[in-house]
């Protein structure tokens, strides 16, 4: 049987990575147990056992492929720790777990290929420097790390919800401001129209006053002549 692991690199999360690692470890332990059992029984080498060795070889190759995928996923998290919200200590722990699994896979692969087993002091170049794990995570099991990561993801989602609510509130405030500005614009338009109407009325009344004033000025000589004529008549009568 193969590893049974389906890698989803497009939906990579630290918690998902740990889940995949645990599934891969369980699958590998099953293969490791069967290989060692077959070797101890003398059922691994020799002509009659070619098919069994071939099946083991294919199973180990699947494990190796998934280990490579996990390595690539972990490298992405190491390159962007802030994006994945993961500490240096947690990355170190994951790198250590993956390194041990790599060593075990190489060991079993060598057994299947009738090569020597990997020794404790063998060196492997995994191209990633190891750093000390933080005291925060050193005492945690894999399951506790997964739960811790799950809690952090929930907090992140709650934080995103708060941001969304804040954005929605700002949107409502912006809409209310726009509505108020539209109302104020309508009021200003009405005030401008009222001022224009008042100005036209003032101009019309000014012209009327000027016309009456001109008419009044032109009537004064006639009033004087009438008054003088009236005085002359009174003198003649007397």
């Amino acid at each position: 049987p193969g590893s049974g692991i389906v890698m989803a690199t497009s939906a990579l999360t630290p918690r998902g990575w740990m889940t995949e690692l645990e599934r891969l470890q369980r699958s590998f332990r099953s293969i490791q147990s069967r290989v060692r059992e077959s070797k101890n029984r003398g059922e691994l080498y020799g002509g009659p056992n070619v098919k069994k060795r071939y099946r083991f070889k294919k199973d180990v190759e699947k494990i190796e492929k998934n280990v490579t995928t996990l390595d690539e996923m972990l490298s992405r998290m190491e390159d962007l720790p802030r994006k994945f919200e993961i500490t240096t200590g947690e990355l170190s722990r994951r790198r250590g777990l993956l390194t041990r699994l790599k060593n075990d896979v190489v060991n079993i692969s060598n057994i299947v290929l009738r090569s020597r087993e990997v020794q404790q002091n063998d060196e492997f170049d995994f191209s990633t420097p190891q750093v000390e794990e933080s005291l925060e995570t050193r005492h945690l099991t894999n399951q506790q790390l997964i739960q811790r990561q799950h809690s952090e993801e929930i907090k992140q989602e709650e934080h995103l919800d708060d941001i969304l609510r804040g954005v929605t509130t700002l949107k409502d405030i912006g809409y209310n401001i726009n509505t108020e500005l539209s109302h104020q614009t309508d009021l200003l338009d009405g005030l401008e129209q009222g001022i224009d109407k008042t100005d036209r009325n003032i101009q019309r009344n000014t012209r009327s006053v000027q016309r009456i004033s001109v008419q009044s000025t032109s009537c004064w000589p006639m009033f004087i002549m009438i008054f003088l004529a009236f005085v002359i008549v009174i003198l003649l009568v007397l």
Side-chain angles (χ1 to χ4, degrees):
S3 65
I5 294 178
V6 178
M7 298 296 177
T9 55
S10 60
L12 170 62
T13 63
R15 183 166 63 98
W17 189 93
M18 286 298 300
T19 301
E20 294 294 344
L21 176 64
E22 287 200 332
R23 292 173 59 187
L24 189 57
Q25 286 173 329
R26 289 194 298 270
S27 180
F28 172 73
R29 282 194 294 268
S30 174
I31 297 173
Q32 184 184 48
S33 176
R34 288 185 287 112
V35 168
R36 291 188 180 278
E37 183 179 353
S38 296
K39 179 186 176 185
N40 293 337
R41 290 181 178 179
E43 299 174 353
L44 188 60
Y45 306 118
N49 301 305
V50 171
K51 289 185 178 180
K52 179 180 287 190
R53 288 180 61 201
Y54 178 78
R55 287 196 300 269
F56 282 148
K57 179 176 179 293
K58 289 299 181 183
D59 290 342
V60 173
E61 286 176 352
K62 291 178 182 177
I63 294 291
E64 289 174 339
K65 182 178 180 181
N66 281 336
V67 167
T68 300
T69 303
L70 277 178
D71 197 356
E72 293 172 354
M73 295 166 71
L74 183 59
S75 295
R76 286 179 58 193
M77 287 189 284
E78 289 170 337
D79 291 339
L80 301 169
R82 287 193 175 183
K83 176 182 177 181
F84 294 101
E85 295 189 344
I86 186 168
T87 65
T88 303
E90 291 173 348
L91 288 170
S92 175
R93 180 189 182 98
R94 285 160 171 74
R95 179 57 67 183
L97 290 171
L98 189 60
T99 297
R100 286 193 290 274
L101 180 58
K102 282 182 177 182
N103 291 345
D104 292 339
V105 171
V106 170
N107 192 350
I108 289 299
S109 178
N110 288 336
I111 292 176
V112 172
L113 297 175
R114 204 166 189 172
S115 179
R116 69 182 182 87
E117 295 189 20
V118 176
Q119 302 299 318
Q120 289 288 340
N121 58 355
D122 283 345
E123 295 183 358
F124 297 89
D125 180 16
F126 296 109
S127 303
T128 303
Q130 299 298 304
V131 294
E132 184 179 356
E133 185 176 358
S134 66
L135 294 176
E136 238 182 295
T137 60
R138 186 176 300 170
H139 65 285
L140 300 178
T141 64
N142 290 351
Q143 286 294 337
Q144 289 172 331
L145 273 178
I146 292 174
Q147 184 60 40
R148 174 191 173 95
Q149 195 63 48
H150 179 60
S151 300
E152 291 177 355
E153 288 176 2
I154 291 176
K155 290 180 181 178
Q156 182 182 9
E157 290 176 359
E158 291 175 349
H159 182 60
L160 291 175
D161 289 340
D162 291 338
I163 293 176
L164 179 60
R165 283 192 292 270
V167 171
T168 302
T169 301
L170 290 176
K171 181 180 178 182
D172 292 339
I173 292 174
Y175 176 79
N176 292 334
I177 291 175
N178 183 63
T179 302
E180 182 64 24
L181 287 175
S182 298
H183 179 64
Q184 294 295 332
T185 300
D186 293 339
L187 290 178
L188 290 174
D189 290 341
L191 179 62
E192 185 178 2
Q193 292 174 2
I195 292 174
D196 291 340
K197 183 177 180 180
T198 301
D199 185 60
R200 288 193 297 271
N201 290 336
I202 291 174
Q203 291 179 1
R204 186 173 60 252
N205 292 334
T206 300
R207 287 194 297 270
S208 298
V209 170
Q210 289 175 345
R211 187 172 57 254
I212 292 172
S213 176
V214 170
Q215 291 176 353
S216 299
T217 303
S218 61
C219 290
W220 273 110
M222 185 179 66
F223 289 153
I224 294 173
M225 290 177 64
I226 292 172
F227 178 75
L228 291 174
F230 180 73
V231 171
I232 291 171
V233 169
I234 291 176
L235 291 174
L236 291 173
V237 171
L238 294 176

